[in-house]
Amino acid sequence: MNMNYPFAAIVGQEQLKRALLLCAINPTLGGVLIRGDKGTAKSTAARALADVLPPIDRVAGCAFNCSPGAAHPQCAVCQTPDVQHVSALAPFVNLPLGATEDRVLGSLDFERALKDGRKSFQPGLLAAAHRGILYIDEVNLLADHLVDVLLDVAAMGTNTLEREGLSMNHPAHITLIGTMNLEEGDLRPQLLDRFGMMVEIEAPKDPLVRAEVVRRRLDFEADPLDFSARWQTETKALQAQLRAARQLLPRVSLSDALLTFISQLCCEFQVASLRADIVLNKAAIAMAALDGRTTVTAENVRDAAELVLPHRRRRKPFEQAGLDQDKLEQMMREAAPTPERTPPERPNRREAEADGPEDVQMIREETTEQVFVATAPTGVARIDIESRAATDHSGRRSTSVGTRHGQYMQAVQKDAPVQIALDATIRHAVFRDPGTFNVTSADLHEKVRVGKNASLILMVVDASGSMAARKRMELVKGTVLGLLEDAYQRRDQVAVIAFRGTQAEVILPPT
């Protein structure tokens, strides 16, 4: 049995640990996204949370994690008389990157449905993670069809499975925890906004701290049981703190002045999503509960803003992520200390910038040639980028066979289809045995779909030299700004790499 590294034994990373504990206190926060370089213990911290989560009351043997008194109507276990209620560990479910859609959503037994006319549902990972944590390592590499599933579930709190006229749904209130490395690409904006909080972590710079991290890790690997036992006192104290915080949470209050201040923060940092205001409110309340207080302070709001706002702030290409700490501290000083004081009026920060995205884009697409014309910002000459195909197919948004979504073109025989082709399945059963209609697994067919592929527009620029390099960079910047709107609409990505001599740097990751 694999053991998790004790949460209490994690060295440093206070902001990350606090964000994870907030998820344990209030599961409706939406979870946390952990970004950082490889080897910075992102997965270690996320998995360690499983051992300190408060237990849940559930029906024994239920595959849907039904709580007592809220049984799922189609749960066979919950519908039996004399069901037993038990206190169990909160679910912590890992979603593999290569999981199929049926493994995540669950599946319907079509053979039994066609034979007996009865629904037979096999619960998936979403059912297992109900009322708990769904953990996704390298979430930015998750397939698009699974991202679509998570978006639906995160928005509705319900998992709905639709297959050829058969429907099944069940509650799926999950807390998302994801880890990722920005070197491997960013998340889709829709999924990024679904994460309530985000933490950027990096390896410690202090040699003494790094040495302590390595020392504890080696001790854990040498004898996990002994190492965990040495941290048992701290672990139990942390569990007790979380239980007390959950009980205190409904009694924590946030003043109207701080609520107004939260909205002012979201406006000043140009956050479009109203979800930010709601999550920031909940995170500040959960922080107060974690500290054992029934009143939210301005410091709670500031600390929560550092977790909730950075990944939701509107940014231009080439602009650094994160919050302006000086601006945040200044707003803290100007914040209203009492409800009677009117919050300061928000200044107008829309200033004309020489490198603003006032670009005109014109795209001409032909059979074997695509020309992108982007007018650069003021003072920068126009640049034309031509992409000529060596063959009749350029590859840009080309068709792809075997996609999850797209036009249904044909059916192929398959014992365990992901998307069953009901028409072909019935025809095969009828032709195989015209006398008696009997559908078996040998008759099952899967749909073959044809869809469109997006593409990556990669610009590589020579950054060597002085004045000439600056001019080239200005031209590239103007072109990128002109391409972004089209790339967003067509789900393409734009990236820029600059090279000088034998060195190269990604100055704009795919976005």
Side-chain angles (χ1 to χ4, degrees):
M1 177 181 178
N2 293 329
M3 294 190 62
N4 294 321
Y5 188 88
F7 191 91
I10 298 174
V11 180
Q13 305 294 3
E14 298 302 325
Q15 190 180 49
L16 170 59
K17 291 189 290 186
R18 196 169 182 85
L20 291 172
L21 293 178
L22 295 182
C23 291
I25 295 171
N26 187 351
T28 67
L29 279 173
V32 59
L33 175 65
I34 309 170
R35 299 200 311 195
D37 294 331
K38 48 187 174 293
T40 51
K42 301 186 296 295
S43 300
T44 298
R47 296 180 189 277
L49 179 66
D51 296 331
V52 297
L53 289 173
I56 63 172
D57 293 328
R58 52 165 294 180
V59 176
C62 175
F64 298 93
N65 289 319
C66 293
S67 61
H72 187 266
Q74 300 184 36
C75 178
V77 174
C78 294
Q79 301 306 320
T80 58
D82 301 326
V83 295
Q84 295 183 352
H85 300 162
V86 296
S87 177
L89 295 176
F92 190 95
V93 177
N94 180 59
L95 195 161
L97 292 179
T100 63
E101 188 171 327
D102 279 2
R103 181 70 185 98
V104 178
L105 288 172
S107 59
L108 293 171
D109 189 340
F110 290 103
E111 186 173 354
R112 181 176 178 182
L114 292 172
K115 277 185 176 180
D116 305 335
R118 297 172 57 190
K119 296 179 182 178
S120 178
F121 181 71
Q122 295 295 327
L125 296 178
L126 292 177
H130 176 48
R131 303 174 64 204
I133 302 290
L134 184 66
Y135 170 64
I136 313 168
D137 194 16
E138 305 295 348
V139 62
N140 52 324
L141 303 181
L142 197 65
D144 279 346
H145 68 280
L146 295 182
V147 173
D148 295 337
V149 168
L150 292 180
L151 288 173
D152 288 341
V153 173
M156 305 302 296
T158 302
N159 173 36
T160 301
L161 182 65
E162 299 280 354
R163 290 289 187 273
E164 308 299 341
L166 298 178
S167 178
M168 172 70 181
N169 65 76
H170 64 83
H173 298 289
I174 59 176
T175 298
L176 285 176
I177 295 182
T179 59
M180 61 173 286
N181 181 356
L182 270 177
E183 292 179 354
E184 298 169 339
D186 211 340
L187 277 180
R188 280 171 52 180
Q190 296 88 343
L191 182 58
L192 184 64
D193 186 52
R194 284 293 172 182
F195 282 97
M197 298 170 289
M198 187 195 72
V199 180
E200 296 268 7
I201 67 171
E202 58 183 14
K205 299 295 193 296
D206 187 338
L208 295 178
V209 176
R210 291 176 72 103
E212 181 62 21
V213 172
V214 174
R215 186 179 299 111
R216 293 187 186 183
R217 184 68 198 185
L218 294 178
D219 287 348
F220 173 75
E221 292 179 357
D223 192 343
L225 286 174
D226 179 68
F227 185 85
S228 298
R230 280 184 275 152
W231 288 92
Q232 193 64 26
T233 301
E234 290 82 355
T235 299
K236 289 184 176 180
L238 190 56
Q239 291 172 336
Q241 183 183 7
L242 289 178
R243 285 195 296 268
R246 274 197 173 183
Q247 295 174 357
L248 184 63
L249 188 66
R251 304 200 303 270
V252 179
S253 61
L254 186 143
S255 67
D256 287 341
L258 286 180
L259 181 59
T260 303
F261 179 54
I262 286 174
S263 296
Q264 185 184 359
L265 280 174
C266 294
C267 292
E268 286 295 327
F269 286 104
Q270 300 181 0
V271 177
S273 173
L274 285 172
R275 188 174 294 110
D277 304 59
I278 298 172
V279 176
L280 184 48
N281 187 304
K282 292 181 177 181
I285 291 175
M287 280 190 175
L290 182 62
D291 295 336
R293 288 180 286 100
T294 57
T295 304
V296 177
T297 65
E299 287 71 23
N300 292 143
V301 174
R302 178 196 60 200
D303 295 341
E306 293 176 349
L307 298 172
V308 175
L309 299 185
H311 62 298
R312 293 186 168 93
R313 186 173 64 86
R314 288 185 179 272
R315 290 191 298 118
K316 299 176 184 177
F318 312 102
E319 186 179 357
Q320 293 296 321
L323 294 181
D324 185 339
Q325 292 297 324
D326 293 337
K327 181 178 178 181
L328 181 59
E329 292 299 332
Q330 180 183 352
M331 294 188 66
M332 283 289 298
R333 290 191 295 268
E334 296 173 354
T338 61
E340 289 77 18
R341 178 180 171 185
T342 303
E345 202 174 72
R346 183 169 67 91
N348 184 6
R349 294 187 173 271
R350 298 189 61 183
E351 301 174 355
E353 297 180 291
D355 58 348
E358 298 176 359
D359 310 296
V360 179
Q361 176 181 314
M362 181 174 63
I363 298 179
R364 185 177 77 240
E365 296 190 5
E366 299 178 1
T367 304
T368 60
E369 179 180 4
Q370 299 171 353
V371 180
F372 299 89
V373 182
T375 302
T378 306
V380 181
R382 189 179 69 180
I383 180 172
D384 294 348
I385 298 182
E386 298 187 4
S387 174
R388 298 179 181 274
T391 65
D392 290 340
H393 303 285
S394 66
R396 178 173 169 82
R397 287 180 292 279
S398 57
T399 58
S400 177
V401 179
T403 60
R404 295 279 181 177
H405 306 281
Q407 186 177 1
Y408 170 30
M409 299 297 294
Q410 61 179 353
V412 295
Q413 190 172 0
K414 193 172 183 180
D415 291 341
V418 175
Q419 294 184 342
I420 188 172
L422 192 59
D423 53 346
T425 298
I426 294 176
R427 282 198 304 269
H428 190 274
V430 171
F431 293 150
R432 179 178 54 79
D433 189 359
T436 58
F437 179 69
N438 182 26
V439 178
T440 68
S441 59
D443 299 315
L444 298 179
H445 282 63
E446 183 175 48
K447 291 181 177 179
V448 177
R449 297 183 180 274
V450 176
K452 293 289 185 179
N453 275 343
S455 63
L456 170 65
I457 304 171
L458 177 61
M459 307 182 71
V460 184
V461 57
D462 183 0
S464 58
S466 54
M467 296 299 295
R470 176 181 295 182
K471 184 176 181 181
R472 284 193 294 269
M473 294 302 295
E474 289 176 346
L475 293 175
V476 169
K477 184 175 182 180
T479 304
V480 168
L481 292 174
L483 288 172
L484 281 179
E485 182 179 353
D486 173 70
Y488 178 78
Q489 293 172 349
R490 299 177 183 271
R491 295 299 185 263
D492 292 334
Q493 291 183 315
V494 181
V496 179
I497 295 178
F499 67 89
R500 180 184 295 107
T502 60
Q503 304 295 322
E505 179 185 3
V506 178
I507 60 176
L508 179 65
T511 183

